[in-house]
Each structure stands twice: as C-alpha cells, then as structure tokens.
Amino acid sequence: MKPLAFSLFAMLLAFPFADECRGQSSSETSENPKPQTLIGQLRLPEGTGSRGVEIQVDVAARKGEPPTIWVLFDEQGRFLHTFPRAVTRVKITAGLCAEVHRIEADKLPQANQAGQIDVGVIDLRDELVRHRMQLHAAKDKPGGDVKVALCFGLPPVGPQGQRVSLGSRQFPAIPLGSEIEWLLPRESEPVYFLIERPADAGRGRDWRTGAQQLFGPFPRSELPVELLMD
C-alpha cells in the first residue's frame, strides 16, 4: 500500500464539510467566538503513513455532545488545524477506535494571543507496535481495490444492525495483492478486520459500499499475515 502523504497546506483544506458538524457552546455568548488553532506532532514507530492512527478533536457545541473533527497529519507526524470554537479534548486512536492517548481540556496548554494551542510532540513509540499483512483475492475471485478497517472487538453497527460503511476518506482504497501495515496498541484484543469491496466496478471517485467480509477474532499472538477476500 502506498502511504498517504499530506502537506500541512493540504490539511487545512482537507475537510471543508467539517464546518457543517460544528455547533456553538451553550456557554458562549458571542456570535463570533474566537477560533483556536491546534498545533503539534505525533512521533510514531518507524515506518510511513498513518497506519490506522488518527487524531480526533472535540470542540465546544451548542447542544448535546461536542462534535468530533478528524485532523490529518503529514509524513513527519505534524498537524495544524483551526477550529471556530474552543477545543475541549484531543484523542489519538488506532483502528476503530482504540484510544492510545487523550488530552482533556484542563490539561491542554493555554492558547496564546493568536489563539494557538501547541501540544508539542506526542511520543507514541512505546504505545504502538507494527503489524504487516498481505491482502489477496481468493482463488477465482476478482482483484481490484478494497477498503479495510482494523477493529478491536466487533465493528460498530448502524440503527438497522448494518455494519459500518468504509466509504469515507478515513479508509483509503488498497489494491488486492498489496501489503498493508498497521499500528496496534500493545494490550488490545480481540482483533477483527472488516474488508469491503466497492458496489460497482465503475464507481469513479465516490466509493459506494459493496460486499463486506469480516475476519476474526484474532488474539494478539495469532494475528494473520495474509487475508483472502472472496
């Protein structure tokens, strides 16, 4: 699998739709609350790409639970993202969705006069271990691209009991026949892999959810080095 490389400039433009998810805190009286910019860097085990690691940031909301916004980081682990309101929590997760690091609002550095919150370097090298495996089509089955989710426990389900769709950009398309590497928390198990094909061969840019296949559970001592997709 070719790792995804994101520049800091691309990160600022990556999620224009995120604004739709953001509300305003009930404690805020200003119509235009001061934005905050989160700055920092992840230090991951040797290798390239995110390998299932994500940054999830909660911000103040008007009603209900604060929305969660996914923040991208580049090949050096650096991230920079501006939010329209106060940052209330920063979480680093692996797979779906094992938490490996958390910073609550009272532990976050104070914002400077420019509204910047610099969390510095978050070193996760001792918290995560690498695992590589191959993805192949089973005998007499077509090749093509698939999407893969690493899950700790059974994958989450929707209101109708359906499995989670892997159509978002959170899950990059991977050609069958490729090697993929994951970063896993040291203590997490059982492990499942949910693999999804596109709904049709001519899908273009938009991934449409197709057939899914669930592998597992696997104990940490018996993680597969190859999976065959029907």
Side-chain angles (χ1 to χ4, degrees):
M1 177 184 70
K2 294 182 178 179
L4 298 180
F6 300 102
S7 67
L8 291 178
F9 175 74
M11 285 193 285
L12 296 175
L13 304 178
F15 294 107
F17 58 82
D19 289 338
E20 301 174 4
C21 302
R22 302 168 183 170
Q24 182 176 331
S25 171
S26 57
S27 63
E28 291 172 348
T29 57
S30 172
E31 291 295 326
N32 297 295
K34 186 175 181 180
Q36 291 188 338
T37 299
L38 186 70
I39 303 171
Q41 183 177 14
L42 299 185
R43 187 165 292 168
L44 301 176
E46 182 181 358
T48 57
S50 62
R51 293 166 286 173
V53 173
E54 297 179 344
I55 303 171
Q56 302 177 23
V57 180
D58 291 346
V59 297
R62 184 183 295 276
K63 294 180 180 179
E65 293 294 325
T68 298
I69 299 171
W70 276 257
V71 175
L72 299 175
F73 54 92
D74 69 10
E75 286 295 337
Q76 285 71 49
R78 297 172 300 195
F79 54 90
L80 182 153
H81 192 100
T82 299
F83 305 90
R85 292 174 311 285
V87 173
T88 60
R89 182 184 293 118
V90 178
K91 294 185 293 184
I92 313 299
T93 62
L96 282 179
C97 283
E99 186 175 305
V100 293
H101 189 81
R102 174 191 289 246
I103 310 175
E104 297 287 357
D106 60 346
K107 300 297 184 182
L108 285 168
Q110 290 291 321
N112 62 21
Q113 291 186 345
Q116 296 175 334
I117 300 174
D118 190 347
V119 297
V121 176
I122 301 173
D123 193 342
L124 301 176
R125 290 175 296 177
D126 291 337
E127 306 297 327
L128 299 166
V129 293
R130 302 167 67 186
H131 177 70
R132 294 181 180 179
M133 66 181 189
Q134 297 278 339
L135 299 176
H136 294 287
K139 185 178 180 180
D140 299 326
K141 298 297 181 179
D145 290 350
V146 296
K147 293 195 171 192
V148 186
L150 169 68
C151 311
F152 303 99
L154 287 169
V157 297
Q160 309 300 318
Q162 73 275 22
R163 291 189 184 128
V164 62
S165 170
L166 307 185
S168 73
R169 284 177 288 177
Q170 179 184 356
F171 306 99
I174 302 167
L176 288 171
S178 300
E179 181 180 71
I180 185 171
E181 180 175 279
W182 299 98
L183 294 177
L184 289 77
R186 290 185 178 277
E187 303 300 327
S188 56
E189 61 176 76
V191 177
Y192 292 81
F193 297 93
L194 180 62
I195 303 184
E196 177 180 294
R197 287 185 181 272
D200 59 87
R203 58 178 170 79
R205 291 183 60 188
D206 295 325
W207 187 278
R208 296 177 56 195
T209 301
Q212 293 185 336
Q213 191 170 350
L214 182 65
F215 297 86
F218 301 102
R220 285 296 304 272
S221 59
E222 299 177 13
L223 290 178
V225 295
E226 181 183 50
L227 292 178
L228 301 178
M229 184 67 183
D230 289 339

